[in-house]
Amino acid sequence: METIPLSRGDLRWVFPEVPEPEAVRGALAEADARVRDLARHLGAREGGTGDGLVFRRTGGVVAAGLFAAAEAEGVGFTADLCFPRRCLWDLRWGPPWEVEAEIMVLCDQVPDCGGHMLAARAETFTTPLEAARGLAEATAWLLEHGRAASPASWRSRDDARCQEVGP
């Protein structure tokens, strides 16, 4: 999978018809800046996570969304804005667009578990500008939560820890 930074992508990959492109770009730029601020606050490494909003392309097909992640010490803060598709090659477009933000901890007990969600929010929007503003609000929520507690504090809240089952 290839990632393309917001600054090098095309809004039409997510919003084929953008009636207010500058306003949409402005809201997305706010979201991008907040993810980068969170990554810096967490001490996330460059590349992979903490690089702001990105488009994703797999096999020449661009996913109809924008994605962001900041991770540190086994805690992940993610946000995405997308048009839900049935599969990668489903070329339908919104509306609606979904915006999700999640705070997860990696599972260090069971290899196939992946992680446990500690907090999440999701909303659906009917216009590109509403969706972009929704993503800006979601990343503000992540930044606020990321600054309010250390990664160790988030990990200590993991009540759903998996217990590895012996033979």
Side-chain angles (χ1 to χ4, degrees), residues 7 9 28 31 34 47 52 62 76 99 133 142 147 151 154:
S7 62
L28 294 176
R34 287 179 180 137
V62 176
V99 172
R133 287 180 177 158
L142 287 175
R147 286 182 173 166
W154 281 106

Side-chain angles (χ1 to χ4, degrees), residues 4 16 23 32 49 54 60 73 80 97 100 106 113 129 134 140-141 152 162:
I4 303 162
D32 184 67
T49 70
V54 297
E73 300 176 38
D80 61 71
W97 290 274
E100 294 181 346
L106 297 176
C113 173
L129 184 56
W141 179 81
C162 293

Side-chain angles (χ1 to χ4, degrees), residues 25-107:
R25 272 192 198 92
L28 294 176
E30 285 179 39
D32 184 67
R34 287 179 180 137
V35 171
R36 291 173 187 276
D37 286 349
L38 176 57
R40 276 191 296 278
H41 174 77
L42 295 172
R45 60 177 167 68
E46 287 290 323
T49 70
D51 288 345
L53 292 177
V54 297
F55 298 94
R56 293 180 181 160
R57 181 170 35 212
T58 304
V61 177
V62 176
L66 284 156
F67 307 90
E71 297 175 358
E73 300 176 38
V75 180
F77 297 81
T78 62
D80 61 71
L81 179 163
C82 64
F83 172 72
R85 291 182 167 174
R86 294 178 295 231
C87 69
L88 187 60
W89 293 271
D90 177 3
L91 298 180
R92 295 174 302 129
W93 296 98
W97 290 274
E98 294 179 357
V99 172
E100 294 181 346
E102 299 177 344
I103 303 170
M104 293 188 67
V105 293
L106 297 176
C107 182

